[in-house]
Structures are given as C-alpha cells and as structure tokens.
Amino acid sequence: MSYSRTIRILRRLIKMIAPGLVALAGYKRSWLPKDIAAGLSVAAIALPVGIAYADLAGVPPVIGMYSAIFPLFAYALFGSSRQLMTGPDAATCIIVAAALGPLAGGDPERYMALLVALTLTTGVLYVLAGTARLGLIANFLSQPILTGYLNGIALLIIVGQLPKLLGYSAAENEFFRKILEFFQQLDQSHWPTAALGIGLLVVLILSLRFIPRIPGALTIVILSIILVAMLGLEQKGVAVLGSVPGGWPALALPTFGHGAFKEIFTDAAGILLVSFTSGVLTAKSFAQRNGYEINANQELIGFGACNIASGLAQGFPVTGADSRTAVNNAMGGKTQMVGIVAGVTMLLILLFLTAPLAFVPNTALAAVILVSAVGLFDLAALRVLYQMSRREFFMSVATTLGVLVLGVL
C-alpha cells in the first residue's frame, strides 16, 4: 500500500470518528478574528447560564461551570456541526433533579456520585446509539408530544424560581400548590431581594430585546455583583452564592450500589431521547441557514463525547444549546474553533477569577433561569398545532398537564 493511499485512508477514518479534527487541520487564518469574537460572546453567556442551571440540577455552582466548559472541547473534535454550542440545558437539568432526588435520599455525596454515573451512562448510551447508526430516531419522535413536554418543564421551572426571585420561603413541591403558595407568601417576600431580582429581570429582558448582541446574562451578573458590593445587600439579607472553588475538577469515577443502576440506566435513556431531539434540531436548523448538512449519527457520538467529558469532570448531562448557538451564528462564527475559544475563556475564569462570583445574588440567577424558561415555552408551535390539527394540539396540551400533575419522569 502506497504512503499517499495510507494517508487518505487514515484521513477518512479520522473524519468518520472525529470530523472536527479534520476541519481544524484545514483551518484558515482569515476565520480566526470572527471565531475569537464569537467564542468570547458565547463564553459571556455560557458561564452565567451554567452557574444558574447548576441550581436546577441541584448541585453547587462550580459543577455548572464544569458542565459548561469541558463538553465544548469534546464537541469541537467529535461533532459534525460548525455552529452548534453544547452545554447545560434547562430541561435536562430538571430531569436530572427529578431523577436523582429520590435515589439520593438527601445525601449530597450520594447525589454527586449518582450524578456522575448518570452523566457517564448518558454519554456511553449516546456513543452506542451513534455506533449503531440510530440517528434516525429523531425523525420518529412526536413533535406535539415533545413540545408539550418541554412546555410543561418550562412552567415547572418558572414557578420554581419565583421564591428565589422574590426572596420568600417555599415548602411546596407540587406545581399547583406552588402557585397557591406564591399568592399566600407574596406579602412575605424579602423586599430588597425582590426589588433587585425584578430590576435585574427587567434589565435582562430589555437588553435581549433592544441590544441582543450584548450578552444579557453576563451583564446582569456583573451588575448584580456591583450592586451587592456597593450597597451592602448581603448584610441586608440578600442571599448570594458564596465562595466558588476554583481550579481543575477532581477526576474520579463514581461508586454506588448496583441497586441504583437500573434507575440510572432508564433515566439516562430518557435524557438521551429528550436532549438528542432538541440538540439535533438546533444543529440541523443552523446547518441549513449556513448551507451545509450535519450527520445525525455523528451528532449522537458528538453528544456522547460531550457527556463523557462532562461526567469525567464531575458535571451533569448536556446537549446542544440553542441560545448560545444563536449567539455564535449572529457573531459570524465559522468553525468549531468557537467552542474551543469559549471553553478556554471560561477555563481561565475557573482557574483565576472565581472570587467575584461569591457576590452573585441568587435572585440574579433566578432571573437568568426565568428568561431561559420563558424561551423554552413554545407558544408559536402551539398556535401552529391549533391551526393545523386540533387533535395534536390537545395531545400537546394534555402532555403539558401530565408533566405538571404527574411530574417530569
């Protein structure tokens, strides 16, 4: 076999396994300025969102940072989309919390062990599905059911964040009881917290509406840190994150009883279905806008690599992130280098600049999550379903009610 033929075979093999590596090998210097600008913009959104979503998953803020950083490097090598950004997802995080809460039994150490096991299992299932060429599963999942399911999750998140936004005590766990509790406890709100939270929420909404190129999530996080420090809001009872440990994550495999594996496996399969569907749809839509195609089977492998990377870094399951991908596209990002730039930027902050994060108020993170959850609720899809098929519309609404009444799982 000739040398040139061997090189071609190796190149095809690498392209099959790690298409991002081949793309980066042919990288053009002219793309670098836009990729750097896009990467910095993505990092500005991904970092505060990762910290905020850690609360949804029931883990410390630094775990959200790990989950936002390390999957980006994996996807840059193994994903097939040039624009897709991966990271924490609101729907996935709330499924994680619903799945692991009962299994952990209130033990934080067991919860973290189960979390890592769930993330790694999700990653392995992704890779197995991609190897078996099961990317076509995205074509068979019911869009009305998925819309209803995600709408239900969005409503759960919105109602769940109201106590943190307004600073009142919450004891209820069920959706409709939480709404009743909101009206009962509204006058017991901590008004400095409520004023700060509502003000930041308004700033975030206005910035997204009128100056979308500015990273709204980062803006309100920085603004909230300044306000807490200048006005002494922590001394006035405004809850803040507290110390966020910097440095590299401790790489360790989880240890837990075999009795939990069946539940972990089932939950990982459910996360795969929901997260892959939303992630691959995001990848497809941005690929169409930019005139290329993605490989659904390779996306399974790419998402698998992301989740394995997240799990090894003690993070939670991740998928394609539509808001961060939209920012990348708007900033003119050309290649997978955007994810690498974003990951390196956030990693430097993790290593050297975590001290200011201690002053981030919980109400600011609640505002970030609320806006994300409102974006997750797809009212436009419901209107289309109502116009095209009343039966599918009512199926979607019934799914939403099922999530609210019966729970996510």
Side-chain angles (χ1 to χ4, degrees):
M1 186 181 294
S2 66
Y3 176 78
S4 59
R5 186 180 178 189
T6 302
I7 294 297
R8 287 198 300 271
I9 292 174
L10 287 175
R11 186 179 178 87
R12 283 200 298 268
L13 183 61
I14 293 173
K15 189 174 183 179
M16 287 175 59
I17 299 173
L21 189 61
V22 175
L24 291 173
Y27 193 81
K28 297 180 181 179
R29 288 186 180 181
S30 60
W31 296 339
L32 190 58
K34 285 194 174 182
D35 280 356
I36 290 177
L40 294 174
S41 299
V42 169
I45 295 176
L47 189 65
V49 167
I51 294 171
Y53 283 6
D55 180 70
L56 286 180
V59 294
V62 71
I63 303 299
M65 296 177 71
Y66 297 157
S67 305
I69 295 170
F70 295 101
L72 287 170
F73 298 123
Y75 188 83
L77 296 180
F78 296 100
S80 66
S81 171
R82 302 172 199 162
Q83 270 75 39
L84 187 70
M85 295 291 104
T86 57
D89 172 73
T92 302
C93 287
I94 203 162
I95 295 173
V96 166
L100 299 185
L103 290 177
D107 183 348
E109 290 187 7
R110 178 170 170 79
Y111 190 99
M112 284 304 305
L114 291 170
L115 174 70
V116 175
L118 178 63
T119 307
L120 290 173
T121 303
T122 302
V124 171
L125 289 180
Y126 258 122
V127 173
L128 291 175
T131 304
R133 306 187 69 79
L134 296 180
L136 53 83
I137 61 175
N139 299 327
F140 294 98
L141 295 174
S142 167
Q143 191 62 39
I145 297 299
L146 181 63
T147 298
Y149 185 72
L150 294 178
N151 284 349
I153 288 176
L155 292 174
L156 285 176
I157 293 171
I158 290 168
V159 173
Q161 292 302 308
L162 292 176
K164 294 173 184 175
L165 182 76
L166 302 176
Y168 66 82
S169 299
E172 298 293 346
N173 293 318
E174 297 180 5
F175 177 78
F176 294 103
R177 289 185 178 180
K178 283 183 178 180
I179 293 178
L180 180 61
E181 182 182 57
F182 166 72
F183 290 105
Q184 292 173 340
Q185 297 288 337
L186 187 59
D187 60 345
Q188 301 299 317
S189 299
H190 183 253
W191 294 113
T193 299
L196 177 63
I198 293 172
L200 292 172
L201 183 63
V202 171
V203 170
L204 179 55
I205 293 171
L206 291 177
S207 67
L208 292 174
R209 175 67 178 85
F210 295 107
I211 42 176
R213 284 184 172 268
I214 294 179
L218 180 65
T219 300
I220 70 161
V221 166
I222 293 175
L223 179 61
S224 68
I225 291 173
I226 294 172
L227 291 173
V228 167
M230 289 183 60
L231 303 179
L233 295 180
E234 186 178 1
Q235 288 71 38
K236 296 178 181 178
V238 174
V240 297
L241 277 183
S243 178
V244 177
W248 295 92
L251 301 180
L253 294 176
T255 55
F256 60 94
H258 294 292
F261 180 74
K262 182 179 179 181
E263 286 79 3
I264 290 291
F265 182 88
T266 303
D267 296 331
I271 289 173
L272 184 153
L273 284 173
V274 174
S275 61
F276 175 63
T277 303
S278 61
V280 78
L281 287 175
T282 300
K284 281 185 176 180
S285 64
F286 282 94
Q288 289 173 355
R289 294 183 193 183
N290 290 278
Y292 66 95
E293 294 184 359
I294 63 157
N295 184 324
N297 294 314
Q298 188 62 43
E299 288 302 285
L300 282 168
I301 294 174
F303 290 159
C306 289
N307 281 282
I308 291 172
S310 183
L312 292 175
Q314 314 303 297
F316 46 76
V318 298
T319 184
D322 52 1
S323 61
R324 279 142 278 174
T325 304
V327 169
N328 176 21
N329 188 70
M331 294 299 295
K334 298 293 184 183
T335 69
Q336 292 90 333
M337 181 63 73
V338 174
I340 295 175
V341 172
V344 169
T345 302
M346 290 188 286
L347 185 59
L348 292 174
I349 293 173
L350 173 66
L351 295 176
F352 304 111
L353 292 173
T354 56
L357 298 177
F359 298 98
V360 177
N362 292 340
T363 188
L365 300 179
V368 172
I369 294 173
L370 275 170
V371 171
S372 299
V374 170
L376 184 63
F377 192 94
D378 199 342
L379 185 60
L382 283 179
R383 289 199 193 102
V384 172
L385 287 174
Y386 185 81
Q387 294 169 357
M388 297 184 65
S389 172
R390 299 291 172 87
R391 177 175 173 272
E392 293 190 351
F393 169 81
F394 286 116
M395 284 173 59
S396 185
V397 171
T399 304
T400 299
L401 290 175
V403 171
L404 299 180
V405 174
L406 302 176
V408 174
L409 297 180

